[in-house]
Amino acid sequence: GCSIASPHFRPPRSLQTANLDGAGVVAALSALAARGALAATALGMDARRAVLALVSRDAEALDAAALTALASLPVFDCDDGVARPLPGGDRFSTPAYELAAAPGATPLLLAPAPEAARLYERLGVRPLPRSAYWFDRVFSRGDLTQWKKTPPENRVAALDRLRRDFDAVADDSVGEKDFGAWIATLELLWDDSGRRFFGAAEARDATEALHREFKPHQIVATTLRTTVFAPFLARLGAKPGVDRAALLDAARAVDGDPRRAAVVVTALFKNGPSLVAEAGDDGFFAELGAIPLASPAYDFPMDLAAAFRQLGDGPSRQRRGSQLVPFAGAVVPSFSALREHASCWSRRTVVRGGGDGTLVLSAKLGASPEASAEDVAAHLVGMASLAPALLRAHDDARPRGSTRSRRAPTVEDQMSYACESLGYAVTAGGATEARSARRTVGDAPILLLRRSTGADATYAFAPAARVFDGLTSDDDAPPLVLSADDRLHAAVVAALARYPGLGPALGMRRRPAREDLRFFAAELGSGPLDGAGVEAAARLCRLEAAALTTAAGTEVLAPLPVPDASGRLRSATEVLYDDAPWLAGRLDRSRVPLAHGKVERRVAAALGCRPLSRAVDETAGAVTPRPAETLPPAVAAAVAQWRSNARAPAFRAALRRAHARARLLAVSETTAPVLDAGRLESLKRVDVVAAERLESRFDLAGVDVTRDAKGSPALVVPGASPTIYLRLDVDGSGNVRPGWRRRWKPAVAIALDRYLGADAVGERALIAELLAVDDVVEMTEVLEMWEIPALELDPRLGVVEEDDDLAVQSEAAVAGDRVLVELDDETVVAARVEQVLEASYVLAVTPELECVERPLAALRRKRSAAERSPMARPPMSRATSADDAAAEDLAGRASTSSATAPADDEYRAAQGWEATEDAARAAVVARERAAVLEPEPPGIDGFLLAPPPAVVDSKPVASKDAVAAVTKRERVSPGFDLVRIGNFSEAARFPKEIAFFHHRPTVAQIYDEAHYGRQRLVKQCCGALRDVCGVFGYDP
């Protein structure tokens, strides 16, 4: 009990014999212990440390006995606060630091003071390994009862010490595991309440709102939420951020709470890249996408949605934004969420995502960045099918104000957004999306039309098949055929322009086909049409007329119905168009099927309607001729002159020439005018009579449609000897009114034109000019003034056939065929068929094309060679003499060869032609071999060898002596016998200024267009010549 380390220490008398060194101190302490005076509590901690420090000074001098004696003394402090002797076996001390940890099952020596470190080393005491210290002493081999009772500040200090030691002890073995793996399984961490402990693997990142909302009891205490502890906790197994398991657990716990769902969605898109990058596909995204987590970006228009549900379509959601929906099947737009919502809200729900960069995550959840073409198309079909009153009521009830109105777009805005979305989907998706949209839309009206501005304006829609982007409002026929630019809403037009593939995908075209026009006309029905129906029918007719001028017009289809004056649709072949205003008061129009006034004349004509002036037949009624002797001299002279001119062959030849020009100018053979050749020939016996009274009646298909019999200024009564009646306009005194000639000219021209065939001579005024000439020789001059091309005479016509061996032609002939015909004087001449009548032919029998009418039996033909040959006679039945036998043998050979002979009209060479041909060829060869070279002209050597000629003005000039006239050979080439046909041009817009000449012997080919096509070739050449002039800068 003495303070032996004190400098004032005086040992008792019994100890005075021991030295005061390490061994002496040990001996003294051992003596005290032997007397029982050295208990564990006899010395305080400071005294024990001082004694050990004193002994340690001589630690190297202590022997084994001294060390053994010292180890048995109770002077060594343990971690339980009790001083004990050193144990036997392994002796361990605590690490250099001290922790407020739970005592272990076996007390552990405290770490020595630095001055006693050598003494502890001599005593065999070494520091306990740090991993064993943590395993056994701090964490009690996993029994954390004491750990949890330890004050939080001590636990924090221990974890901080472990954080610094962790790299050194992580790989040490404790029990059956490494220390790092073992420590991660312990519930070392605690929350702010201090009542709940959990392992590092269960710890949640406090920076994540998701964990704070759903796992607040697994967030570590605030004292551990530092940047110092974060890496250490991560090494123990704590996961920073949000992982798949935590997110899925949170999603399952939402249970329809929009606030908690918003937390999950925010964490989902915030951590999207890391979630996608996690390895493996354990069905996480499929399960998460099926959980209702997303809130609609916009409220549904409840009034329209209810109407959709009544139609059996549309959203099943009846609540507004509080209704959560799964991501699977929803639309998460990367931009323009309002456009997507307005485009597909009846089919898909638009939800808000995390902005750009979330396409991959949205796709894994089953969402899409935009609605498909099928969804948008179905939404368009549904919107357009709603009642117009409902759509208007929706617009009237929508909230006002800038923000709310944008969130509740009008029907116009919705339809325009949908068209934009559909155009984008079709363009981005290609042919597959286009087919899907077309299949979904079908013939439903989905394109929004322009709205009127009136109070009763409603929404109207049109099918894409009825909208055409190649038409204007002047060309279309609403509501059957609509112009895209002028009839559709401006937003729809803009979408079609921005996405060129949208229109074709929906079924739009440039212009309607002719079959479409007939389908649309059938929709109008056959009953009387109202004003709008007549307007639509008239516009359909206009479109058909325009189509007939294109390549599509060549297709043969049933005539398009045309509205008549009563508003009923009738076949174009049954309707007439009024081209005769002069007949306005003379016809009973109630009995005439006239086209409606809204159908233009050109349109009606193009559709096949007949003109009124050609359809009605005017026949003579009561006629009162005026005796010639009572006519004024001028009138009588004119009548006589016109009669003489009309009978003249030159008049008929001039009309043929004019008719040829009219056919030349025709667009096609089907539209070319037809001249009645028989009536033309009857003019040789025509009479011209002035009448005081001239009445007529009008027949239309056997129905008398006459209203007023008076009024015709001229009329031709047909017959073998036709008569031209000219009405005299007289005053009350019976005198002919002045101007009669001016009135008669057009009247007689029109009458003769109808008589010979509608527009058969082209310019009808030409007829009057020809009749009014003073001499028939002037008719040629009149034709030249009118630029009528000359007719080539056919010299082969009228040639008398000298061969008497002719036969009757039994085969039928057609117009243009050359035949032989027997005239009244029994002469047979060459002729050409001009017209085929029912039982006769009209034949041209003179070069001037004078025609006659002959029955079918009058045609003749030459007999064939076989018919003329005597060998064609049947052989004798029996030979009676040598001559008869020879004749019989010859006849037999002839009959045998005739069986295999070619047709009678096939060329066959004469007998023995081979020998004649060989002789001719031999003569040619002999003449060529006998030919000698011709000598050179005299003086040619001198000319070639003479000095160069003098040069004047840089041009060589030969001297007269050096020039000799040399004639090698003379050749005379035949010229072409040409005749000028007239002036031509390739198109009507150019003047006819290119002169055309043709070979005279074959000039007939220019008028036989069906066989030779010469006129078409000439026009093509004119176009080529004009192009050449344009290239080289010539004046065409």
Side-chain angles (χ1 to χ4, degrees), residues 3 156 171 177 268 274 293 305 329 358 424 464 466 472 533 588 678 688 694 745 803-804 835 879 967 992:
S3 178
V156 172
D171 296 332
K177 297 182 180 179
L268 171 64
S274 61
L293 296 174
T358 61
Y424 176 82
R466 296 178 184 265
T472 65
D588 183 2
V688 179
L694 180 59
K745 278 188 175 183
D803 193 347
D804 293 336
Q835 187 177 2
T967 302
K992 297 177 176 58

Side-chain angles (χ1 to χ4, degrees), residues 995-1018:
F996 174 61
F997 296 81
H998 200 280
H999 190 211
R1000 182 184 295 274
T1002 60
V1003 74
Q1005 297 176 3
I1006 192 67
Y1007 303 110
D1008 194 354
E1009 187 68 11
H1011 291 82
Y1012 297 98
R1014 194 61 51 84
Q1015 299 172 21
R1016 182 172 63 255
L1017 175 62
V1018 171

Side-chain angles (χ1 to χ4, degrees), residues 754-780:
R754 293 177 183 170
Y755 177 69
L756 297 175
D759 298 323
V761 296
E763 299 290 345
R764 294 185 292 187
L766 176 63
I767 300 175
E769 295 295 332
L770 293 173
L771 287 176
V773 298
D774 296 332
D775 193 337
V776 293
V777 297
E778 299 177 5
M779 291 186 181
T780 303

Side-chain angles (χ1 to χ4, degrees), residues 655-678:
L655 294 183
R656 292 192 191 93
R657 182 172 169 181
H659 171 67
R661 178 178 181 271
R663 291 185 61 85
L664 181 65
L665 297 178
V667 177
S668 63
E669 286 294 326
T670 58
T671 61
V674 178
L675 178 66
D676 193 326

Side-chain angles (χ1 to χ4, degrees), residues 78-251:
C78 294
D79 58 355
D80 58 357
V82 178
R84 292 184 176 85
L86 293 179
D90 294 333
R91 298 167 180 174
F92 294 102
S93 66
T94 63
Y97 46 78
E98 295 180 4
L99 297 174
T106 302
L108 187 65
L109 294 176
L110 291 179
E115 56 272 18
R118 179 55 185 163
L119 176 62
Y120 270 60
E121 184 177 349
R122 290 293 311 274
L123 291 172
V125 178
R126 64 180 186 274
L128 184 69
R130 280 178 287 187
S131 59
Y133 173 75
W134 289 104
F135 175 74
D136 186 59
R137 312 303 300 181
V138 178
F139 298 126
S140 304
R141 296 179 177 268
D143 183 5
L144 300 181
T145 303
Q146 188 61 35
W147 171 259
K148 295 177 181 179
K149 295 179 180 179
T150 304
E153 58 273 14
N154 293 346
R155 292 196 297 265
V156 172
L159 291 179
D160 184 56
R161 180 73 258 179
L162 178 61
R163 174 183 65 82
R164 286 177 283 175
D165 286 350
F166 194 74
D167 287 338
V169 301
D171 296 332
D172 292 349
S173 296
V174 290
E176 298 179 354
K177 297 182 180 179
D178 292 339
F179 180 80
W182 175 79
I183 197 69
T185 62
L186 302 181
E187 295 182 348
L188 301 179
L189 308 179
W190 62 95
D191 60 4
D192 281 331
S193 67
R195 293 188 299 271
R196 190 177 188 283
F197 287 79
F198 47 86
E202 300 178 17
R204 295 294 179 258
D205 191 348
T207 61
E208 294 291 342
L210 179 78
H211 300 320
R212 295 198 299 270
E213 175 66 31
F214 292 92
K215 299 289 185 180
H217 52 281
Q218 291 181 225
I219 295 179
V220 296
T222 306
T223 53
L224 298 178
R225 298 179 210 161
T226 63
T227 56
V228 174
F229 277 107
F232 172 61
L233 297 181
R235 294 191 64 181
L236 292 182
K239 295 182 179 179
V242 175
D243 59 1
R244 290 184 180 182
L247 192 65
L248 191 57
D249 290 342

